[in-house]
Amino acid sequence: MKKHIPNTITCLNLLTGCMGLVWAFEQHLNWAAYAIAVSALFDFLDGMLARLLKAYSEIGKELDSLADVVSFGVLPSVIVFQLFKQSGTEITWLPYLAFSIAVFSALRLAKFNVDTRQAENFIGLPTPANALLLGSFPLIITSDELGIGAVIQQPHVLAIFCVLMSALLVAEIPLFSLKFKHWGLKGNEFKFALIILSLFLFLMLKFAAVPFIIGVYILLSMIQTQLKK
């Protein structure tokens, strides 16, 4: 029975992603953004439970990637597509650039499944992190913390993010994982630093903190990689 628990959680990830797609198509972009966050929670839990219960399976691995393509690839693409539409851009083809996120997310997930270098850490930005960043845009625009929302709504800014985040998904950049083998400080210094800084930034900036948190994550990973050399 226990072997089915992680896959059930993965299915909840997929279900939430599908619900988020409906909300995104219906212009409820804040709800769609929260759906990404809930899917990310399920994605974290299914992996954690698989390790705790030792319930690994090939079907679980494939199911996880299929769910992630929807929740962290297609869903953020539709959110950004709708933001392009709301921006009033006169370039008719530009909104479709949003779907580069879905394409490169699929490439990222396929690469992860066959890349033996990513057993402990990541090569390229993980799809949940990318989806959380893009999913934060409607929430930032609504709250308009620091006036960032007005900037994000610009079509050229959205286009830059589409290209940049697509590239980061498949970039040969080593990034550490937040999987903890133990709770001691030694070996987990950068993980704890990211968690503490993330909490601080979120308390200060609320939803506007998310892009900065992803930036800090990449920066800390690069520092860790350099120190290991």
Side-chain angles (χ1 to χ4, degrees):
M1 185 68 182
K2 68 178 184 180
K3 69 179 181 180
H4 297 296
I5 294 175
N7 289 348
T8 301
I9 302 298
T10 302
C11 289
L12 290 175
N13 168 8
L14 177 57
L15 175 62
T16 308
C18 292
M19 293 169 65
L21 280 172
V22 173
W23 293 329
F25 282 122
E26 292 180 346
Q27 298 285 346
H28 300 304
L29 299 188
N30 283 11
W31 294 5
Y34 290 129
I36 290 177
V38 175
S39 288
L41 176 61
F42 285 136
D43 187 56
F44 173 79
L45 289 175
D46 67 7
M48 182 182 72
L49 289 171
R51 290 189 294 274
L52 287 174
L53 300 174
K54 294 182 172 54
Y56 301 103
S57 67
E58 284 301 312
I59 191 172
K61 180 180 177 182
E62 299 303 325
L63 181 62
D64 186 69
S65 292
L66 291 170
D68 287 357
V69 166
V70 175
S71 299
F72 308 133
V74 181
L75 177 50
S77 291
V78 175
I79 289 174
V80 175
F81 177 83
Q82 297 287 30
L83 291 177
F84 267 119
K85 290 289 189 179
Q86 292 176 9
S87 73
T89 177
E90 296 180 357
I91 306 174
T92 55
W93 58 266
L94 193 59
Y96 295 95
L97 185 62
F99 293 102
S100 64
I101 300 298
V103 173
F104 280 89
S105 293
L107 288 170
R108 169 76 180 84
L109 290 161
K111 181 181 176 183
F112 176 79
N113 282 352
V114 299
D115 192 343
T116 56
R117 298 174 299 166
Q118 300 190 56
E120 298 293 332
N121 295 303
F122 301 117
I123 306 294
L125 186 66
T127 52
N130 181 62
L132 287 168
L133 186 153
L134 296 172
S136 71
F137 286 180
L139 302 172
I140 294 171
I141 291 168
T142 300
S143 60
D144 201 23
E145 295 290 333
L146 306 177
I148 296 175
V151 176
I152 290 174
Q153 286 179 297
Q154 300 299 314
H156 65 277
V157 173
L158 291 170
I160 289 170
F161 266 103
C162 287
V163 174
L164 176 62
M165 303 316 293
S166 294
L168 285 174
L169 284 166
V170 295
E172 289 289 311
I173 302 175
L175 299 171
F176 61 79
S177 167
L178 283 177
K179 297 175 184 175
F180 286 86
K181 291 184 177 180
H182 60 85
W183 295 103
L185 181 61
K186 187 173 177 58
N188 291 323
E189 297 89 346
F190 285 91
K191 296 176 184 179
F192 283 125
L194 177 61
I195 292 171
I196 293 169
L197 287 170
S198 297
L199 290 172
F200 175 76
L201 286 169
F202 196 81
L203 288 172
M204 293 291 293
L205 304 175
K206 298 181 181 177
F207 296 116
V210 178
F212 294 104
I213 290 170
I214 301 302
V216 168
Y217 171 48
I218 295 171
L219 179 61
L220 287 175
S221 294
M222 293 174 68
I223 293 171
Q224 183 187 57
T225 300
Q226 289 300 315
L227 290 176
K228 285 183 176 180
K229 289 183 178 179

